Amino acid sequence: MKILVINSGSSSLKFQVIDTDTEEVLAKGQCERIGIDGVFNYQTGGGIKIKETCPMKDHKEAVDRILRTLVDKEQGVIGDYAEIDVVGHRLVHGGEKFTGSVVITDEVLDVMRQCNDLAPLHNPANIIGVKACQELMPDTLMVGVFDTAFNQTMEPKAFLYGLPYRFYEKHKIRRYGFHGISHKYVSRRAAEFMGQRPDRVKTIVCHLGNGASICAVKYGRVIDNSMGFTPLEGLVMGTRCGDVDAGALEYLSKKENLDFPQIMNILNQESGVLGISKNLSSDFRELKDAEIKYNDTAALAREIFAYRVAKYIGSYAAAMNGVDNIVFTAGVGENDSDIREEICSYLEFLGITIDEVKNREQGEAVRISDGTSRVNVLVIKTNEELEIAREAAELVRGLKKEE
């Protein structure tokens, strides 16, 4: 089964074509700066690469460019559009409605629109991508894979805030958790790598990138996620503040004469390691270079980040009454060995010891804990596109069985 995976942003669109029978990536790429000047990136498993400026006034033109390239006689990987069995869309917020992947219908899009206020930067862009594909591929099945779905196994004791219950009943204010597609893929890949059954192990997944979250997965089910009602809660991130006392925001608004939209912009765009480092950078690689040059705020930003990650790991180990696997993934988690080492230095009480040589190895999956460690510590490359393709294929096979 050939599946086109689409991840649509407000001005970008990432894509992959995956053959789920072999899990081979036939082609992948990204349309950037949609509606501006347009940049098209494309490469195939056979080594063909394209990067060129390409005017794309909207997402429909971006999808059209992708499809025309995929069927091109010289650069393409399929003969015609009919070879694409399914389009799998990454959808960010499904609220409480969706606990798994779904065939995208008008009713599904209506529910997503109702969640627009919960993910204003993501859901509208996701819907635009879906509509563009529907217009150009009206006979192709569209499947939605939600970033919040995997987290819907959290119990009320984990997802409810200490607010009056009526606000949950009326407005569904609660912790939803995000990065669910990545957490699901990585937690299961970790079990597979260690020769374990996912429903028999307790795993903490640390998805550490510019956006970062930690997920406690007990016997294959999420029991907690550090992100909350929005992706703002939890860890200190690239530009997001993470956990902060709401009282401090009222104090800040009065002292700086700021309205709430201004406060939210600061929390989302000017905080995190960017703000702590005095606007030096939100890129952990640049902060590491600055730390080496004895930049105090760069060092402090990385230290705070590692400390906050370790605190969440410790709390989730307690919530699950133990942990078998701790897994690092995403840009920072996969590539910053110093951050991993610093985080693990707080976790000696769990019996964790790190192999310094292994910790500096690169690979799709690496165990970096040594033979004496009571907890497996792993680095696994996340693969959200493959997870979306797998879920879409599984849904389609289930539908065929019902026919």
Side-chain angles (χ1 to χ4, degrees):
M1 190 180 300
K2 291 186 177 69
I3 295 181
L4 171 61
V5 176
I6 295 289
N7 183 352
S8 181
S10 57
S11 62
S12 66
L13 195 153
K14 298 178 183 177
F15 67 92
Q16 286 192 15
V17 178
I18 298 175
D19 184 337
T20 56
D21 294 331
T22 62
E23 298 197 338
E24 178 187 3
V25 177
L26 305 179
K28 63 181 180 179
Q30 182 173 7
C31 298
E32 302 173 276
R33 298 177 65 81
I34 298 171
I36 309 173
D37 48 3
V39 178
F40 180 67
N41 294 280
Y42 173 86
Q43 67 181 84
T44 70
I48 295 172
K49 293 185 179 181
I50 300 172
K51 183 174 184 179
E52 61 187 26
T53 301
C54 174
M56 294 173 278
K57 70 178 182 181
D58 55 29
H59 286 68
K60 183 178 178 181
E61 287 195 1
V63 174
D64 181 63
R65 175 57 198 266
I66 292 168
L67 294 175
R68 285 190 289 109
T69 306
L70 290 174
V71 299
D72 184 86
K73 291 183 179 180
E74 295 182 356
Q75 301 166 333
V77 294
I78 56 175
D80 58 58
Y81 299 168
E83 287 188 37
I84 296 174
D85 299 289
V86 184
V87 179
H89 293 267
R90 176 181 181 254
L91 306 178
V92 169
H93 213 309
E96 292 186 326
K97 180 70 174 179
F98 302 109
T99 59
S101 303
V102 295
V103 174
I104 298 176
T105 62
D106 289 341
E107 290 74 19
V108 169
L109 293 179
D110 285 342
V111 173
M112 282 193 66
R113 291 187 185 97
Q114 293 168 25
C115 295
N116 279 358
D117 288 344
L118 302 179
L121 298 179
H122 299 91
N123 271 27
N126 295 161
I127 293 170
I128 289 170
V130 171
K131 298 297 286 185
C133 290
Q134 286 178 329
E135 288 185 42
L136 292 166
M137 308 172 71
D139 298 322
T140 305
L141 188 68
M142 304 284 157
V143 169
V145 182
F146 288 90
D147 223 12
T148 50
F150 187 51
N151 301 306
Q152 287 301 299
T153 54
M154 285 190 288
E155 297 179 4
K157 66 181 179 182
F159 71 65
L160 283 177
Y161 292 113
L163 296 170
Y165 194 78
R166 66 180 182 273
F167 294 135
Y168 168 64
E169 292 180 306
K170 187 176 181 180
H171 302 297
K172 298 302 178 185
I173 295 176
R174 50 158 287 180
R175 171 175 285 105
Y176 287 99
F178 296 88
H179 292 143
I181 298 169
S182 176
H183 288 307
K184 183 176 182 179
Y185 173 82
V186 171
S187 61
R188 296 188 178 190
R189 177 70 183 101
E192 177 187 50
F193 180 72
M194 295 303 301
Q196 303 162 332
R197 282 180 48 176
D199 61 351
R200 296 286 181 89
V201 291
K202 303 171 184 178
T203 300
I204 297 173
V205 180
C206 305
H207 180 108
L208 308 181
N210 193 268
S213 66
I214 298 184
C215 191
V217 186
K218 183 177 182 180
Y219 307 144
R221 295 167 58 87
V222 174
I223 68 162
D224 215 334
N225 185 297
S226 62
M227 284 182 166
F229 181 68
T230 73
L232 182 59
E233 187 181 2
L235 301 175
V236 169
M237 306 177 216
T239 63
R240 298 175 191 148
C241 64
D243 297 336
V244 65
D245 184 345
L249 306 182
E250 180 189 23
Y251 181 84
L252 181 62
S253 70
K254 291 177 179 178
K255 289 294 184 180
E256 296 286 333
N257 192 29
L258 299 170
D259 61 24
F260 209 73
Q262 290 173 312
I263 290 286
M264 291 304 294
N265 185 67
I266 290 170
L267 300 183
N268 277 292
Q269 305 296 334
E270 301 178 21
S271 300
V273 296
L274 175 67
I276 295 168
S277 67
K278 296 183 178 179
N279 293 325
L280 177 63
S281 181
S282 62
D283 188 311
F284 282 78
R285 293 164 297 187
E286 293 179 1
L287 293 174
K288 182 176 180 178
D289 291 341
E291 181 181 13
I292 293 170
K293 298 174 183 175
Y294 301 102
N295 183 299
D296 290 342
T297 57
L300 179 62
R302 286 171 58 86
E303 183 180 25
I304 289 173
F305 177 80
Y307 178 71
R308 186 71 65 89
V309 172
K311 284 209 309 181
Y312 264 98
I313 292 173
S315 67
Y316 284 173
M320 294 193 295
N321 197 18
V323 59
D324 300 298
N325 304 318
I326 296 173
V327 194
F328 293 99
T329 192
V332 178
E334 294 170 16
N335 298 302
D336 197 323
S337 59
D338 290 339
I339 283 284
R340 294 195 299 263
E341 185 174 348
E342 185 169 355
I343 292 168
C344 290
S345 71
Y346 291 101
L347 305 176
E348 293 179 0
F349 75 98
L350 291 173
I352 288 174
T353 49
I354 298 299
D355 184 319
E356 293 184 5
V357 175
K358 286 284 186 182
N359 188 36
R360 281 161 174 74
E361 287 185 6
Q362 293 286 317
E364 183 271 328
V366 180
R367 180 182 177 183
I368 65 171
S369 51
D370 67 20
T372 66
S373 183
R374 295 203 301 270
V375 177
N376 303 311
V377 183
L378 312 172
V379 180
I380 291 179
K381 291 186 180 298
T382 191
N383 196 332
E384 292 171 295
E385 291 79 13
L386 178 57
E387 183 61 35
I388 291 169
R390 285 175 173 174
E391 292 199 30
E394 183 178 357
L395 179 63
V396 171
R397 285 192 292 268
L399 292 173
K400 289 181 177 179
K401 287 181 181 179
E402 294 176 2
E403 292 177 355

